[in-house]
Amino acid sequence: MNGRARAALIALALVLSGCGREEPTETPLTGSIVEYGRTASGAPLRGALYRPAGPGPFPVLLYAHGSAPGSLSNEAFEAVAPALTSRGWALFAPYRRGQGLSGDAGSYVRDEVAAARSEGGADQAQARLARLLSEDHMADQAQAFAWLSSQGYVDRRRIAAMGNSFGGIVALLSAERLGICAAVDAAGAAEIWGEAPAIRALMTRSATRARAPVLFVQAENDFDLAPSRTLHAAMRQAGKPAEIRLYPPFGATARDGHAFAYRGVSVWARDVHAFLDRSCPSADRS
């Protein structure tokens, strides 16, 4: 077993067991805190909104966080937002149920997956994860999209999605299910791809049914490059517009490579902006 495969198996065990969580080091949010929806039980869902100067209407990137506990995804939001607002895009980062600003809106996804593993082993754990992302977490993502679409400062034709890790899965599902103009999947399922057939099936189905172009982004030292390569190929075979960018190793470890989506913004920003410009042109260019 090579080093990358070993790292991926260790990561999978940690994800499905709920262990291996990072020590909390919360980055303060500079975006505006807004309520974008409620769960079926009435619990509020909140996120951070970053707007460029001026009245708009602005194109918006809907950014889906990964599985970091608590408010650790603040780091990603604060790193990615300036790269968008400096180019005239707003960024909306909704916390989904069980995490960060929406922590009281439901159970934390890794806790639910760990409980499923205790009940029925790894197979039940990865099946539970697929259901949670496809149903509960996509319900939150859909509310975030609907909320954005109702805001007067938003160019409704130019809402794109991006996400890292678990959020990359959500971004890909959004390309199938929401009326977005483009999606960027940054390392979606890279930690679990090889041992999670339910996740592979879910993502492959969405890729082949996508209604928006998708850009797959990863650093070469991420846990597993198969998700980007396989899904990109599936989209192209299905006649769907898809692009892929694999970047040189970022940092020293697979964990560093997996954090490329938000710690390597300066590396990928130009490519992502070009993709968004092609896929979501402004009215005077379309």
Side-chain angles (χ1 to χ4, degrees):
M1 181 181 294
N2 63 31
R4 177 177 287 167
R6 187 179 300 109
L9 284 175
I10 292 171
L12 171 70
L14 293 175
V15 169
L16 297 185
S17 68
C19 301
R21 299 183 189 176
E22 305 164 65
E23 288 298 316
T25 305
E26 183 177 327
T27 301
L29 288 173
T30 60
S32 301
I33 309 304
V34 302
E35 180 179 313
Y36 68 88
R38 290 181 175 264
T39 64
S41 65
L45 297 164
R46 300 185 178 93
L49 176 67
Y50 303 81
R51 289 174 56 176
F58 307 111
V60 183
L61 185 70
L62 178 57
Y63 190 88
H65 58 74
S67 64
S71 297
L72 291 184
S73 292
N74 288 6
E75 179 189 352
F77 304 162
E78 292 292 314
V80 176
L84 275 297
T85 56
S86 65
R87 295 289 297 268
W89 280 68
L91 182 136
F92 183 48
Y95 265 112
R96 302 187 300 279
R97 63 190 68 193
Q99 290 171 257
L101 298 170
S102 302
D104 295 333
S107 299
Y108 174 44
V109 60
R110 284 197 180 188
D111 287 343
E112 292 213 29
V113 171
R117 183 183 181 88
S118 296
E119 296 164 5
D123 285 347
Q124 187 163 325
Q126 59 92 26
R128 176 77 59 86
L129 176 60
R131 183 189 64 77
L132 288 169
L133 293 175
S134 179
E135 297 177 8
D136 296 7
H137 284 240
M138 271 307 296
D140 297 348
Q141 177 83 342
Q143 286 198 70
F145 176 78
W147 180 83
L148 278 176
S149 299
S150 71
Q151 305 304 306
Y153 54 81
V154 171
D155 184 342
R156 298 169 184 81
R157 301 175 304 102
R158 302 177 70 204
I159 300 175
M162 180 176 180
N164 66 288
S165 195
F166 281 14
I169 301 172
V170 171
L172 179 61
L173 299 185
S174 298
E176 175 196 4
R177 303 183 189 181
L178 304 180
I180 59 174
C181 57
V184 181
D185 173 355
E191 291 182 276
I192 59 176
W193 181 261
E195 303 297 327
I199 292 292
R200 294 198 303 271
L202 174 68
M203 295 182 74
T204 302
R205 184 168 57 250
S206 280
T208 58
R209 297 176 178 177
R211 296 183 293 150
V214 179
L215 171 63
F216 297 93
V217 171
Q218 281 190 270
E220 288 180 345
N221 61 325
D222 202 342
F223 291 105
D224 191 348
L225 301 180
S228 292
R229 287 171 168 160
T230 302
L231 295 167
H232 171 257
M235 288 191 67
R236 295 299 296 268
Q237 186 173 4
K240 304 293 185 179
E243 301 179 28
I244 186 171
R245 298 286 185 276
L246 299 178
Y247 296 87
F250 184 81
T253 67
R255 177 61 58 191
D256 292 337
H258 198 58
F260 174 70
Y262 54 95
R263 292 181 177 161
V265 175
S266 63
V267 180
W268 56 251
R270 179 175 296 181
D271 290 336
V272 168
H273 283 309
F275 171 72
L276 293 176
D277 285 346
R278 289 192 299 273
S279 304
C280 311
S282 60
D284 56 2
R285 290 183 52 215
S286 58

